[in-house]
Amino acid sequence: EVQLVESGGGLVQPGRSLRLSCAASGFIFHDYAMYWVRQAPGKGLEWVAGISWDSIGVGYGDSVKGRFTVSRDNAKKSLYLQMDSLRIEDTALYYCAKDLSSGYFGSPGDAFDVWGQGTMVTVS
Amino acid sequence: EIVMTQSPATLSVSPGERATLSCRASQSVNSNLAWYQQKPGQAPRLLIYGAYTRAAGVPARFSGSGSGTEFTLTISSLQSEDFAVYYCQQYNNWPRTFGLGTKVDIK
């Protein structure tokens, strides 16, 4: 079964840092671009960051650029999100997601076919 | 950044009726458009990609259409399990962007 499991969320003060992890299983992790998407309480989905299968390509949403860093470890089948200088408005449920097809990144990319259940980050 | 505008914000439909959801992009995204369904307490689920291709396991009552800047998701005959929030997303350009969603609720 294809599965993504996020961890690392919690309560953190403004200005502090937090690192999220996403453990993948059931598919060839190193073949797929991976992404982080967040959802503030009661709000819609916001694309946060993406990384190519080989870590050469990365992209960020405007609201997190310069503060968040996405990375991956293909040997560990894991995706990460380093979040620095956290703000109250970063409070959200953070999902990791994978591309539908292997080998996509850049423009155009691909849809997200598998999502984790999310990890909650509260900045207060 | 490409802005995705969904309408209406809320759609009240009776079971068995047809639902039509719209999504407009601020510039062309070609056919690089996906639709997701999200139920309370659950992660989003991919329904449609490439503007009109159903994802694996998605019932045939869901269909997508459009290209360029105008897109539509149609649910031909609403079932009880279809009441949810639906999001469109473009993946033609960076950053990937989502619409604010359309909530489909029971009339």
Side-chain angles (χ1 to χ4, degrees), chain A:
Chain A
E1 179 191 5
V2 178
Q3 195 171 14
L4 298 171
V5 179
E6 303 93 338
S7 61
L11 176 63
V12 62
Q13 293 178 328
R16 303 299 290 266
S17 298
L18 204 60
R19 189 194 196 206
L20 306 183
S21 299
C22 171
S25 60
F27 65 101
I28 303 174
F29 182 73
H30 63 248
D31 278 352
Y32 291 85
M34 296 293 296
Y35 300 86
W36 290 99
V37 176
R38 70 185 181 184
Q39 187 168 33
K43 302 297 184 181
L45 302 171
E46 181 186 8
W47 183 86
V48 173
I51 185 167
S52 63
W53 60 94
D54 56 6
S55 300
I56 291 176
V58 294
Y60 298 94
D62 290 346
S63 62
V64 307
K65 203 172 294 183
R67 300 187 299 121
F68 289 12
T69 304
V70 61
S71 62
R72 64 191 296 162
D73 184 332
N74 286 342
K76 294 183 177 180
K77 299 182 182 179
S78 293
L79 174 72
Y80 306 101
L81 185 68
Q82 177 67 38
M83 303 185 295
D84 298 322
S85 304
L86 281 161
R87 304 168 180 169
I88 291 175
E89 54 265 34
D90 295 319
T91 294
L93 185 63
Y94 284 74
Y95 295 103
C96 67
K98 68 172 279 293
D99 260 352
L100 172 64
S101 303
S102 61
Y104 278 83
F105 198 70
S107 299
D110 207 353
F112 304 157
D113 70 328
V114 179
W115 298 61
Q117 284 303 303
T119 186
M120 186 69 200
V121 173
T122 302
V123 184
S124 177

Side-chain angles (χ1 to χ4, degrees), chain B residues 15 20 40 42 45 67 73 78-79 93 97 100-101 105 107:
Chain B
T20 303
Q42 296 185 17
R45 171 198 179 196
S67 66
L73 174 69
L78 270 155
Q79 306 298 303
N93 286 50
T97 45
L100 293 180
D105 64 16
K107 187 174 182 180

